[in-house]
Amino acid sequence: MKIKESIEKVPGGMMVIPLVIGATVNTFFPSALDIGGFTTALFRDGAAALIGAFLLCMGAGISVKAAPQALKQGSAITLTKLVIAVALGLLVQSLFGEAGLFGITGLAVIAAMSNSNGGLYAALVGEFGNNKDVGAISVISLNDGPFFTMIALGAAGMASIPFMSLVAVLIPLIVGMILGNLDENMKDFLTKGGPLLIPFFAFALGAGIDLSVLLQTGLAGVLLGVVVTFVGGFFNVYADKFAGGTGVAGAAASSTAGNAVATPAAIALADPHMAEQALTAAPLIAASVITTVMLTPILTSYVVKKNNKKGMDDSNKGVEANA
């Protein structure tokens, strides 16, 4: 059986297929992964540890010379996501009021578009991108959580930057960079381990997704996810290219983070007047999380194919060869 070959025919297959399987198991057999031991630790609770190991392995391939470019790309993508989220959110709010468009409120748009699924981003740039794209996560991780959404809604004075969360993301990358730059053999050893980890943490991420959310929100939640990936993605890709990237990192960041589902509740605590909007926004954002998990790999794969036709090399090998 040609399992690996079949999986790789799907855009971002090594990420998408295990994730969909994990989500299916969690949706229809939610107790199947609760038997404990190594099974639960690996397949349900292992996402954070596996992603940390992945970042360390991929960090080993980031040269010191590549770090400034990674920061430049990450900053451009993060700022673009915030600006577009605010613009579309305020447009929806001004045109359709608190009821929103098909129930999609300005709050839902801003909360869904102003952040990225870090695990999905790491997997996609690990498979399709280069070392600079991987390093950009050090900045892109800043949009994790409600901080930027609260800024966009005028509540920044009631929020604080999750600085330690950023540090926690950076440490595995930095450790990997140190090892990779000190020893070429360690660089070769660690970078080979990165792609191996992708399907494992993808399954664990999927095990935290309930596909029934799509049925609860109907087409509105799916539409929100489509807007996040393709409308937001359009601007993200060009922001990445403007910053000197290939567009792969911008495409890979065109998703909604899982913790964005909790953002409306944080907003409601900061501003009680938005409590009603927060209640309706949460399930829409949850649907966007699921939808973007499926669509973002497709967009990223499209950008890669388009680059290949132009003779551009998005891979890690291409970067190392040109370094």
Side-chain angles (χ1 to χ4, degrees), residues 209-300:
I209 294 175
D210 187 347
L211 295 175
S212 64
V213 171
L214 293 176
L215 298 177
Q216 296 173 14
T217 61
L219 292 177
V222 175
L223 176 61
L224 178 59
V226 170
V227 171
V228 170
T229 296
F230 294 113
V231 177
F234 173 84
F235 293 99
N236 296 338
V237 168
Y238 280 97
D240 183 20
K241 290 184 175 181
F242 180 78
T246 63
V248 172
S254 304
S255 61
T256 301
N259 62 15
V261 178
T263 295
I267 299 299
L269 287 174
D271 184 357
H273 293 94
M274 302 196 72
E276 187 174 342
Q277 283 194 51
L279 189 64
T280 59
L284 289 168
I285 296 169
S288 179
V289 172
I290 298 171
T291 303
T292 57
V293 161
M294 309 300 177
L295 296 180
T296 302
I298 296 175
L299 175 64
T300 306

Side-chain angles (χ1 to χ4, degrees), residues 33 75 88 98-99 115 123 132 168 209 224 234 244 283-284 321 323:
L33 300 176
S75 299
L88 287 180
E98 294 186 0
N115 58 69
K132 297 171 186 176
I209 294 175
L224 178 59
F234 173 84
L284 289 168

Side-chain angles (χ1 to χ4, degrees), residues 22-40:
T24 302
V25 171
N26 183 59
T27 301
F28 298 102
F29 310 101
S31 300
L33 300 176
D34 290 336
I35 62 176
F38 297 133
T39 300
T40 299

Side-chain angles (χ1 to χ4, degrees), residues 37-100:
F38 297 133
T39 300
T40 299
L42 176 62
F43 293 114
R44 193 196 66 184
D45 301 334
L50 290 167
I51 292 173
F54 171 83
L55 291 176
L56 190 150
C57 289
M58 300 308 293
I62 303 174
S63 68
V64 175
K65 294 179 181 179
Q69 175 60 29
L71 294 174
K72 183 179 178 182
Q73 287 177 234
S75 299
I77 294 168
T78 300
L79 179 61
T80 299
K81 283 183 69 69
L82 177 62
V83 171
I84 298 304
V86 172
L88 287 180
L90 293 179
L91 180 63
V92 169
Q93 191 76 7
S94 62
L95 293 178
F96 304 99
E98 294 186 0

Side-chain angles (χ1 to χ4, degrees), residues 159-241:
S160 59
I161 298 176
F163 178 72
M164 290 310 298
S165 295
L166 174 61
V167 172
V169 171
L170 282 173
I171 288 177
L173 272 172
I174 292 173
V175 171
M177 283 183 64
I178 292 173
L179 292 173
N181 281 274
L182 288 178
D183 185 350
E184 193 69 24
N185 290 328
M186 283 298 294
K187 176 181 178 179
D188 293 338
F189 172 71
L190 290 171
T191 52
K192 291 176 182 177
L196 177 65
L197 294 166
I198 292 175
F200 292 98
F201 72 68
F203 184 96
L205 286 172
I209 294 175
D210 187 347
L211 295 175
S212 64
V213 171
L214 293 176
L215 298 177
Q216 296 173 14
T217 61
L219 292 177
V222 175
L223 176 61
L224 178 59
V226 170
V227 171
V228 170
T229 296
F230 294 113
V231 177
F234 173 84
F235 293 99
N236 296 338
V237 168
Y238 280 97
D240 183 20
K241 290 184 175 181

Side-chain angles (χ1 to χ4, degrees), residues 94-172:
S94 62
L95 293 178
F96 304 99
E98 294 186 0
L101 174 64
F102 306 123
I104 303 174
T105 61
L107 171 60
V109 171
I110 294 174
M113 292 191 73
S114 59
N115 58 69
S116 304
N117 185 322
L120 181 62
Y121 176 86
L124 290 174
V125 296
E127 183 173 352
F128 296 118
N130 56 49
N131 297 325
K132 297 171 186 176
D133 297 333
V134 173
I137 196 174
S138 60
V139 179
I140 292 174
S141 61
L142 274 173
N143 66 35
D144 199 16
F147 178 67
F148 282 133
T149 306
M150 294 180 113
I151 291 178
L153 296 169
M158 304 184 74
S160 59
I161 298 176
F163 178 72
M164 290 310 298
S165 295
L166 174 61
V167 172
V169 171
L170 282 173
I171 288 177

